[in-house]
Amino acid sequence: MGDLFIKQLVLGALQTNCYLISHQETKETIVIDPAEEAERIQKVIEKDGLKLVAIFLTHGHFDHIGAADLLRKWYHVPIYCYKTEKELLEKPEWNLSEMFGRGISLKVDGVFQEGEKLHYLEKEILVIHTPGHTKGSCCFYFSEEGVLISGDTLFAGSVGRTDFPTGSSQELKKSVLRIAELPEETKIYPGHYEETTVFDEKQCNPFLVE
């Protein structure tokens, strides 16, 4: 990752991947999908001397947002999601937290749009709208580093479910095909399970292999 560093934490009952992405010199950090265990994330931030500047959400399901509000309060940083995901985040019955007895309703501080280029960590981060798992799912592409944070859109050898509120199997198919157009050496960091690459997924993922 050059002068960036990715630290992966596997959090919560559903073993969600949370990513702390930091600039090695400035220590500025964004956290993507702070799933649960806010104190554990805090310990990493404090131990490594990181400066949290923002919270990004790939989508709004409860297992990706559980620690977001606490981190916002502790570090006074904004939470962002894709523009069409706000409603799901605010509705416990849609973000599945109600199903698991949590009842989370999360309001964000700002939203992303398709093709938006974010400037954090002295880098340019491209927002790619990838509906299907939810209508407001998105991925974050660090083109210089050849890294994609894919959330629950694409996993190693699989894709996200589409049978939850706002999901669409047709939209998901289109979204994973968009990811497949990225350079084959692109490293993919998904919302669950292990890392992969665009090349590997084009070889073996049944949703991409014709």
Side-chain angles (χ1 to χ4, degrees):
M1 282 283 286
D3 52 3
L4 294 188
F5 180 74
I6 297 181
K7 189 173 187 70
Q8 177 194 49
L9 299 176
V10 182
L11 305 172
L14 298 188
Q15 298 285 279
T16 302
N17 292 332
C18 165
Y19 298 103
L20 288 158
I21 305 182
S22 310
H23 190 282
Q24 295 193 25
E25 292 184 6
T26 68
K27 298 296 184 180
E28 287 193 346
T29 302
I30 57 173
V31 60
I32 300 179
D33 291 355
E36 282 289 349
E37 303 177 66
E39 294 83 1
R40 187 174 160 200
I41 300 172
Q42 181 187 43
K43 284 180 181 178
V44 172
I45 292 172
E46 302 303 321
K47 176 179 176 292
D48 293 347
L50 306 179
K51 301 173 185 176
L52 190 63
V53 295
I55 299 166
F56 292 180
L57 304 177
T58 62
H59 66 291
H61 283 155
F62 82 102
D63 60 314
H64 289 252
I65 66 172
D69 200 35
L70 273 177
L71 292 175
R72 171 167 57 186
K73 290 175 181 176
W74 291 345
Y75 294 98
H76 309 289
V77 296
I79 300 172
Y80 297 101
C81 72
Y82 194 76
K83 63 181 182 179
T84 53
E85 197 73 348
K86 286 179 63 179
E87 188 176 11
L88 184 144
L89 280 162
E90 294 172 9
K91 289 188 173 184
E93 66 274 23
W94 283 16
N95 64 40
L96 310 180
S97 60
E98 190 174 80
M99 182 189 304
F100 288 82
R102 295 286 305 278
I104 299 173
S105 178
L106 182 67
K107 293 187 180 294
V108 297
D109 303 290
V111 295
F112 304 127
Q113 301 193 47
E114 163 62 26
E116 186 172 353
K117 294 177 180 178
L118 313 174
H119 296 278
Y120 283 87
L121 317 181
E122 301 184 13
K123 301 293 180 181
E124 187 175 271
I125 309 165
L126 178 66
V127 177
I128 304 175
H129 183 212
T130 52
H133 183 60
T134 65
K135 71 177 179 180
S137 288
C138 68
C139 299
F140 303 108
Y141 180 47
F142 295 74
S143 58
E144 184 180 335
E145 288 71 27
V147 164
L148 183 80
I149 310 296
S150 66
D152 286 4
T153 295
L154 181 66
F155 303 128
S158 188
V159 296
R161 293 176 61 169
T162 59
D163 57 337
F164 294 134
T166 79
S168 166
S169 58
Q170 289 183 329
E171 289 297 316
L172 187 65
K173 177 67 173 178
K174 295 176 186 176
S175 293
V176 296
L177 288 174
R178 282 194 68 193
I179 293 174
E181 294 174 355
L182 294 174
E184 291 190 339
E185 65 272 17
T186 301
K187 196 166 186 178
I188 298 171
Y189 290 82
H192 300 272
Y193 317 118
E194 68 273 12
E195 301 159 15
T196 185
T197 66
V198 169
F199 175 81
D200 288 341
E201 295 314 297
K202 288 171 75 171
Q203 300 302 308
C204 64
N205 191 314
F207 294 88
L208 290 175
V209 177
E210 297 298 337

